[in-house]
Amino acid sequence: MRLNPVFEKEMKRNSRSSRISWIIFVCNLLLAVVAFVCYFGESSHLGYLAPVSYSVPMNCYILMTYLLFILVVLSVPAIAGGSISLEREKKTLDVLLTTNLNPWRIITGKLEASLGVVLILTVSALPVLSLIVVFGGIGLGGLLLMAGGLLLTGIFVGSIGIFCSVVLKRTTLATVLSYVIVVFLVVGTCACTGLAYYAGVQQQMASAYQQIDIGGAIYLLLFNPFTSFAGIISRQLGNGREMEQLCYLFGNYGQNPLIHYLPEASAVLQLLISAVLLVTAGRKLNPLNK
């Protein structure tokens, strides 16, 4: 199967860039530090052969995967946010549009390049993450499922960055807007949910018989990429219902199917939003639509 020429060009450029090398180095260094501190720090007072010590690798795995998620969220907007605007600034976008490549292939090629960085980060981190396999609990299938969750996050975040790069002409503005949107989706949705819960607590204090219920504000978590990723980790190391049980603290959602399948619904919604953003970016990039 022939690769997308835009993807090949971007991967060649990334392979020659010292920025990608530094991203990989810092990523693996942080993962190694987390593994070292978590394992040796906890096991030093629990004892290597104590039954409780077998939970140490699992806690270490959780911290490393969440750190890897944060690194993906921080690195992909920097790459995708300037993917199209950088071509425009270098005066190469018009040349690219005159080739046999249609705007959709250009968009998908840029997205594949961003996902390539995610795969590089994930594959380079597998040696550190595979230490958990030695202790059991997480197998190769679990690692691949975690990699799939990171890939989903990369698609969602990358599509946001590419859309901003098409809409805005300056790379700096496109990158900044990408980070603003991503930070709001990851942190802002949680903050809004927390504020709604705080308002519910204040109402409960005013009325002793009123139950805390934040209503539709809980659906903001559907737009949070961490929701789907945390659901994957929950099914690997927990009972798979941690996200659902967390939502029950914010109101009575016992008969709500969206809350019961919150991680799955979040993953589907992210893919739909990604498709809409990419299609819109491709139509806007098409010079025949101008």
Side-chain angles (χ1 to χ4, degrees):
M1 184 179 65
R2 186 177 179 182
L3 295 177
N4 191 316
V6 178
F7 170 68
E8 290 186 87
K9 185 193 74 170
E10 291 296 325
M11 291 308 296
K12 290 179 181 178
R13 178 189 299 175
N14 291 335
S15 64
R16 300 188 185 104
S17 175
S18 60
R19 180 180 61 176
I20 302 299
S21 301
W22 278 108
I23 290 176
I24 296 174
F25 172 75
V26 172
C27 173
N28 286 274
L29 179 62
L30 291 176
L31 290 176
V33 169
V34 169
F36 181 85
V37 172
C38 181
Y39 183 78
F40 289 100
E42 290 193 37
S43 60
S44 60
H45 68 272
L46 292 176
Y48 289 101
L49 299 179
V52 185
S53 64
Y54 289 102
S55 64
V56 175
M58 299 298 102
N59 296 331
C60 182
Y61 174 78
I62 294 175
L63 291 177
M64 287 192 296
T65 52
Y66 286 166
L67 176 60
L68 195 57
F69 170 84
I70 295 174
L71 292 173
V72 168
V73 168
L74 293 178
S75 59
V76 171
I79 299 171
S83 56
I84 301 298
S85 58
L86 191 61
E87 298 282 355
R88 188 182 290 111
E89 291 177 354
K90 291 182 177 181
K91 309 298 182 182
T92 57
L93 181 60
D94 292 336
V95 177
L96 193 61
L97 290 172
T98 59
T99 63
N100 294 329
L101 297 175
N102 55 47
W104 173 249
R105 293 201 68 188
I106 296 175
I107 293 297
T108 54
K110 295 294 185 179
L111 179 62
E112 289 172 1
S114 301
L115 296 181
V117 176
V118 176
L119 290 176
I120 291 174
L121 287 176
T122 305
V123 172
S124 65
L126 285 179
V128 180
L129 293 172
S130 61
L131 294 175
I132 309 301
V133 180
V134 179
F135 297 94
I138 299 295
L140 180 60
L143 293 178
L144 294 178
L145 185 61
M146 182 273 300
L150 292 177
L151 190 63
L152 172 63
T153 302
I155 293 174
F156 185 49
V157 177
S159 62
I160 294 174
I162 292 175
F163 178 79
C164 294
S165 184
V166 172
V167 173
L168 300 178
K169 296 182 178 181
R170 303 298 299 177
T171 300
T172 303
L173 294 178
T175 304
V176 170
L177 181 60
S178 301
Y179 274 111
V180 169
I181 295 175
V182 171
V183 169
F184 174 77
L185 292 176
V186 177
V187 180
T189 53
C190 295
C192 292
T193 305
L195 290 175
Y197 178 76
Y198 177 76
V201 171
Q202 297 300 316
Q203 293 179 0
Q204 186 187 46
M205 294 175 61
S207 177
Y209 298 100
Q210 184 174 354
Q211 183 181 2
I212 297 178
D213 189 355
I214 65 174
I218 194 67
Y219 297 123
L220 289 174
L221 297 178
L222 290 171
F223 299 90
N224 194 330
F226 183 74
T227 300
S228 57
F229 186 77
I232 293 176
I233 304 303
S234 172
R235 280 166 173 74
Q236 288 181 343
L237 301 178
N239 57 17
R241 298 186 57 194
E242 280 80 3
M243 295 299 297
E244 180 183 359
Q245 293 169 355
L246 177 64
C247 293
Y248 290 158
L249 300 177
F250 300 107
N252 185 14
Y253 303 101
Q255 303 299 326
N256 195 321
L258 280 179
I259 301 301
H260 184 68
Y261 298 102
L262 185 65
E264 292 82 358
S266 176
V268 172
L269 181 61
Q270 290 176 48
L271 290 176
L272 290 177
I273 294 176
S274 300
V276 171
L277 291 177
L278 293 176
V279 170
T280 305
R283 291 179 61 85
K284 188 172 180 59
L285 189 63
N286 190 352
L288 299 179
N289 292 332
K290 296 181 181 179

